[in-house]
């Protein structure tokens, strides 16, 4: 299968030359195949979010290249590459506009590949949004004129997920997108996530601090530490992997213990 | 009869300043940006309108004034987005620069009457009042305040309808979302800088329109006319909101317009109790201050009530 995302020797140093200098990404390389769903583990400060922000163009790397579907996007502006990349963060507030209706939020996200109609919400689009919302099974399809800000965190995150994937992105980035939700809602949103990725055969990277989750979703798990890749498991090795074995492997590789948060998810 | 005249006057003034209130609504409420360009773009709309009016193109003059406001907005927008200058400072810079520009537009003077020199039957050159849209209207609908009111009202209704529709279009919701959650707009692959600049241009074009309308209605342009305009606009928006609440964008448009009329009525009331006209600015500032402090006061009173009830409970 062809390569969808290729990251080569990406380096990002924050506040270089000061006492606070931090090498957040250190010659990080990763090849992601088309349709691959990778989960990412790593202790706090490992550089996971920085990796995503680099892919999203929130900053330009000090060195290295990012190639998405054959195009070198290393120095593209953030909004320009957003046409091809969907993203979702821990905070449900980040992905939605609270004072606009659910329908308008979806319409805005759909701008990426909607017909260039005059009005933002056409009848045809509206029908499509209703169908999509119905797949969430949260009753949101009957509240399309409700302001996004009135929804619960879980509902907002589920809606954000639709918005991030509505334009069938070439790459979906999920940064602990269920970590702020209660366990039941978190499970529900994860379930929807898996379904959407599978149905649309999306190429996706998901950061999580839950080892069970990391092994249960997708087909490949990588682990980061100190801004580099320290572990990359897939296939039969991954099929036989348990959280406990993963911890041992990590400790061997990086010579240090995982953060408490990750250990607690054992 | 007396009250009827007061009402007419308030409606007429309210309609002329309504586009300005709409501009403030767009900048402060929709874009969530404190835009101080407004005092300057109001006068820019006025001076440009005055020059085109005395050149003999009354309708074009109104459009030119609107375009002038839009240009002022473009400058502020570029300062804010491309040059990353703080929003408040961007507005102040444009407004300050515009003072010189406005002075120059009027040909190096602080005011200008809308009149042209014409040679009369006896061959003497005399000043004649320039044609304005209000005079054109008077020729059709008769003289007086009613005819001006109808014309201003018509403009405001058309502008409001177009504006409400615009905010449902693709660029329209992009502007709204930029004020609501800029990060989300960027991650939807929309150039948020461009949306913000467009929004500021739209806001200031409406402010320029107001300046142009006032210019032709009062038949002169004066550099002092923009002073405190922003506070007047804010007062109108806040008064409208007190009545209608902060709901959808269409209702917001309506409430800014009605707020503009109500603001003029409050001023009329103030004149009734013999407050001199120079107190207007202080009154406007007070209205805005009171309205802004209201939510905080409500909350304080609420916590005090809870505390008193709690203490009563504890010591009974
Ligand atoms: N904007 C920034 N400025 C300075 N340091 C940063 C910035 N963003 C991240 N860092 C640092 O880079 C390192 C990696 O952070 P991050 O990518 O957020 O880790 P995580 O794996 O927990 O998501 C941390 O040490 C963090 O303090
Ligand atoms: Mg992180």
């Amino acid at each position: 299968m062809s390569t969808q995302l290729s990251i080569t020797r990406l380096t990002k140093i924050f506040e270089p030359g000061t006492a606070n200098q931090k090498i957040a990404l250190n010659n990080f390389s990763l090849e992601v195949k088309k349709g691959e769903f990778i989960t990412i583990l790593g202790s706090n400060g490992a550089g996971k979010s920085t990796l995503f922000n680099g892919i999203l163009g929130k900053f330009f790397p000090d060195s290295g290249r990012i190639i998405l579907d054959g195009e070198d996007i290393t120095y593209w502006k953030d909004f320009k590459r957003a046409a091809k990349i969907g993203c979702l963060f821990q905070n449900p507030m980040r992905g939605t506009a609270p004072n606009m209706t659910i329908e308008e939020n979806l319409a805005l996200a759909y701008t990426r590949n909607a017909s260039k109609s005059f009005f933002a919400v056409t009848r045809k689009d509206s029908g499509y949004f209703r169908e999509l919302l119905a797949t969430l099974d949260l009753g949101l399809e009957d509240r399309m004129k409700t302001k996004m800000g009135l929804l619960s965190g879980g509902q907002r995150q589920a809606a954000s997920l639709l918005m991030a994937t509505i334009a069938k992105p070439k790459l979906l980035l999920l940064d602990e997108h269920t970590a702020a939700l209660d366990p039941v809602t978190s499970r529900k949103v994860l379930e929807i996530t898996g379904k959407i990725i599978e149905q649309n055969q999306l190429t996706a990277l998901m950061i999580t601090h839950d080892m069970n989750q990391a092994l249960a979703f997708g087909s490949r798990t990588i682990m980061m530490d100190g801004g580099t890749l320290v572990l990359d498991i897939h296939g039969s090795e991954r099929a036989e992997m348990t959280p406990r074995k993963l911890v041992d492997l990590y400790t061997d590789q990086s010579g240090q213990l995982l953060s408490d948060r990750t250990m607690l998810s054992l | 009869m007396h009250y009827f005249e007061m009402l007419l006057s308030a409606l007429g003034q309210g309609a002329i300043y309504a586009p300005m209130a709409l501009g403030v609504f767009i900048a402060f409420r929709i874009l969530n940006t404190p835009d101080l360009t407004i005092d300057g773009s109001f006068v820019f709309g006025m001076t440009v309108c005055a020059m085109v009016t005395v050149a003999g193109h009354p309708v074009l003059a109104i459009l030119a004034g609107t375009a002038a406001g839009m240009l002022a907005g473009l400058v502020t927008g570029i300062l804010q987005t491309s040059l990353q200058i703080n929003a408040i400072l961007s507005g102040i810079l444009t407004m300050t620069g515009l003072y010189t520009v406005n002075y120059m537009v009027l040909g190096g003077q602080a005011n200008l009457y809308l009149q042209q020199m014409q040679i009369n039957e006896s061959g003497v050159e005399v000043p004649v009042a320039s044609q304005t849209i209000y005079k054109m209207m008077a020729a059709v609908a008769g003289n007086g305040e009613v005819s001006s009111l109808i014309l201003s009202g018509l403009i405001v209704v058309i502008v409001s309808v177009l504006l409400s529709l615009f905010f449902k279009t693709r660029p329209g919701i992009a502007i709204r979302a930029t004020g609501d959650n800029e990060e989300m707009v960027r991650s939807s692959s929309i150039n948020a800088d461009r949306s913000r600049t467009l929004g500021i241009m739209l806001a200031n074009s409406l402010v320029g329109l107001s300046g142009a309308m006032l210019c032709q209605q009062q038949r002169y342009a004066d550099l002092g006319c923009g002073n405190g305009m922003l506070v007047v606009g804010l007062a109108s928006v806040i008064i409208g909101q007190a009545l209608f609440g902060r709901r959808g964008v269409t209702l917001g448009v309506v409430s800014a317009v009605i707020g503009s009329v109500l603001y003029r009525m409050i001023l009329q009331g103030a004149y009734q109790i013999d407050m001199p006209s120079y107190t207007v600015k202080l009154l406007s500032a007070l209205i805005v201050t009171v309205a802004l402090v209201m939510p905080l006061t409500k909350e304080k009173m609420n916590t005090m009530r809870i505390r008193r009830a709690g203490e009563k409970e504890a010591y009974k």
Side-chain angles (χ1 to χ4, degrees):
Chain A
M1 238 192 245
S2 62
T3 302
Q4 181 80 340
L5 172 72
S6 162
I7 297 170
T8 30
R9 305 179 70 84
L10 204 63
T11 298
K12 175 67 190 174
I13 304 174
F14 285 113
E15 302 179 53
T18 70
N20 293 325
Q21 169 166 315
K22 176 78 204 173
I23 306 177
L25 287 177
N26 190 359
N27 272 315
F28 181 91
S29 297
L30 182 70
E31 294 274 321
V32 185
K33 291 196 198 73
K34 203 180 186 76
E36 202 168 29
F37 179 6
I38 302 181
T39 55
I40 304 179
L41 284 165
S43 50
N44 278 334
K48 306 181 296 293
S49 297
T50 306
L51 171 66
F52 276 19
N53 288 332
I55 298 173
L56 288 167
K58 302 286 174 205
F59 59 79
F60 288 157
D62 299 319
S63 63
R65 289 274 144 198
I66 304 169
I67 313 241
L68 180 64
D69 196 25
E71 275 181 299
D72 188 339
I73 61 166
T74 314
Y75 297 113
W76 283 24
K77 281 202 172 133
D78 59 349
F79 71 86
K80 201 176 158 214
R81 51 179 109 181
K84 300 168 186 292
I85 307 174
C87 60
L88 209 54
F89 302 95
Q90 184 170 338
N91 183 353
M93 306 299 157
R94 268 178 86 172
T96 50
N99 290 307
M100 291 169 58
T101 64
I102 297 179
E103 189 175 57
E104 287 169 338
N105 268 276
L106 286 168
L108 197 91
Y110 198 45
T111 309
R112 282 176 276 210
N113 66 351
S115 58
K116 289 284 164 262
S117 60
F118 181 65
F119 284 105
V121 186
T122 61
R123 190 164 305 181
K124 184 163 147 270
D125 288 349
S126 186
Y128 176 53
F129 299 159
R130 173 177 287 274
E131 263 171 50
L132 278 180
L133 285 165
T135 63
L136 295 180
D137 203 15
L138 295 170
L140 294 184
E141 64 275 18
D142 299 320
R143 300 175 64 189
M144 297 207 336
K145 305 269 185 222
T146 305
K147 274 191 187 178
M148 196 56 107
L150 296 175
L151 302 188
S152 71
Q155 290 171 328
R156 264 180 100 159
Q157 200 65 326
S160 309
L161 186 61
L162 281 190
M163 290 170 62
T165 53
I166 198 165
K168 308 277 184 298
K170 291 187 186 300
L171 179 66
L172 177 65
L173 301 178
L174 306 162
D175 189 349
E176 304 201 35
H177 69 299
T178 63
L181 308 176
D182 67 81
V184 177
T185 317
S186 164
R187 208 169 306 132
K188 170 100 196 169
V189 171
L190 264 173
E191 191 186 299
I192 298 168
T193 308
K195 214 166 74 181
I196 289 180
I197 292 176
E198 197 182 306
Q199 276 169 0
N200 298 297
Q201 300 182 328
L202 297 176
T203 309
L205 304 181
M206 178 170 88
I207 297 175
T208 172
H209 61 262
D210 184 318
M211 296 218 199
N212 290 304
Q213 248 175 46
L215 293 174
F217 284 84
S219 55
R220 181 176 165 196
T221 298
I222 62 170
M223 202 178 257
M224 285 180 70
D225 189 64
T228 55
L229 195 108
V230 291
L231 214 68
D232 185 350
I233 51 170
H234 43 87
S236 57
E237 184 188 11
R238 184 170 182 269
E240 286 157 19
M241 191 55 68
T242 63
R244 174 103 10 230
K245 277 203 270 181
L246 205 54
V247 173
D248 293 340
L249 252 178
Y250 174 86
T251 315
D252 283 352
Q253 292 279 336
S254 67
Q256 66 182 82
L257 286 172
L258 271 177
S259 70
D260 295 346
R261 201 156 61 112
T262 311
M263 289 296 277
L264 282 175
S265 76
L266 276 183
Chain B
M1 192 56 211
H2 174 62
Y3 286 105
F4 181 66
E5 274 164 8
M6 276 174 56
L7 180 68
L8 267 189
S9 163
L11 281 170
Q13 292 284 301
I16 283 179
Y17 288 99
M20 190 273 298
L22 285 172
V24 171
F25 169 72
I26 293 171
F28 281 72
R29 286 293 183 252
I30 293 192
L31 278 176
N32 266 318
T33 301
D35 181 14
L36 302 194
T37 319
I38 282 144
D39 286 16
S41 53
F42 186 83
V43 184
F44 195 26
M46 179 175 261
T47 56
V48 168
C49 172
M51 294 318 284
V52 181
T53 306
V54 297
H57 307 288
V59 177
L60 187 67
I62 299 288
L63 298 177
T66 310
M70 189 179 281
L71 187 65
L74 175 64
V75 173
T76 302
I78 289 174
L79 292 179
Q80 264 191 39
T81 56
S82 307
L83 305 183
Q84 304 259 310
I85 296 173
N86 162 291
I88 293 181
L89 191 56
S90 299
I92 292 178
L93 289 174
T94 310
M95 180 190 69
T96 307
L98 273 177
Y99 188 82
T100 307
V101 173
N102 286 325
Y103 201 76
M104 279 160 49
V105 171
L106 288 190
Q109 50 195 21
N111 48 50
L112 182 82
Y113 282 86
L114 302 187
Q115 57 190 22
Q116 289 137 288
M117 296 314 268
Q118 243 175 40
I119 300 178
N120 67 2
E121 308 94 73
S122 16
V124 186
E125 212 181 35
V126 289
V128 179
S130 303
Q131 180 72 305
T132 67
I133 58 167
Y134 290 100
K135 274 174 76 178
M136 290 159 72
M137 183 70 185
V140 181
N143 264 314
E145 271 188 90
V146 179
S147 121
S148 321
L149 169 59
I150 292 174
L151 181 56
S152 302
L154 209 62
I155 295 176
V156 170
V157 168
I158 292 171
V159 165
S160 303
V161 169
L162 288 180
L163 204 56
S164 302
L165 286 176
F166 173 73
F167 281 123
K168 305 277 177 204
T169 65
R170 289 195 181 278
I173 65 163
I175 289 174
R176 283 167 57 205
T178 302
D180 212 9
N181 184 350
E182 184 166 333
E183 184 184 359
M184 172 260 209
V185 171
R186 294 183 157 277
S187 56
S188 295
S189 187
I190 292 167
N191 187 341
D193 286 352
R194 192 191 302 161
S195 289
R196 182 172 294 281
T197 306
L198 269 178
I200 299 172
M201 286 170 73
L202 179 64
N204 283 287
S205 68
L206 291 171
V207 177
L209 171 62
S210 244
M213 286 165 70
L214 180 63
C215 172
Q216 289 204 353
Q217 194 258 351
Q218 68 184 13
R219 298 198 199 119
Y220 67 87
D222 188 306
L223 295 194
C225 282
N227 291 348
M229 204 39 70
L230 172 62
V231 176
V232 173
L234 269 181
S236 307
V237 169
I238 288 171
I239 293 169
Q241 238 165 43
L243 228 66
F244 291 92
R246 279 184 83 159
R247 274 176 284 176
V249 59
T250 306
L251 208 61
V253 167
V254 173
S255 75
V257 170
I258 292 180
S260 175
V261 172
L262 287 178
Y263 174 80
R264 295 293 149 183
M265 286 184 172
I266 293 174
L267 289 194
Q268 295 270 3
Y271 294 147
Q272 281 305 296
I273 52 172
D274 284 334
M275 279 173 57
S277 59
Y278 58 75
T279 52
V280 167
K281 296 272 153 69
L282 181 60
L283 191 69
S284 314
L286 281 176
I287 291 176
V288 174
T289 309
V290 169
L292 291 179
V293 172
M294 207 93 91
L296 182 71
T297 319
K298 260 190 203 156
E299 199 183 294
K300 278 232 168 98
M301 271 161 58
N302 212 9
T303 41
M304 242 154 70
R305 197 174 46 79
I306 291 170
R307 192 175 145 188
R308 222 175 289 130
E311 279 172 353
K312 220 166 158 187
E313 181 72 27
Y315 299 115
K316 83 173 167 204

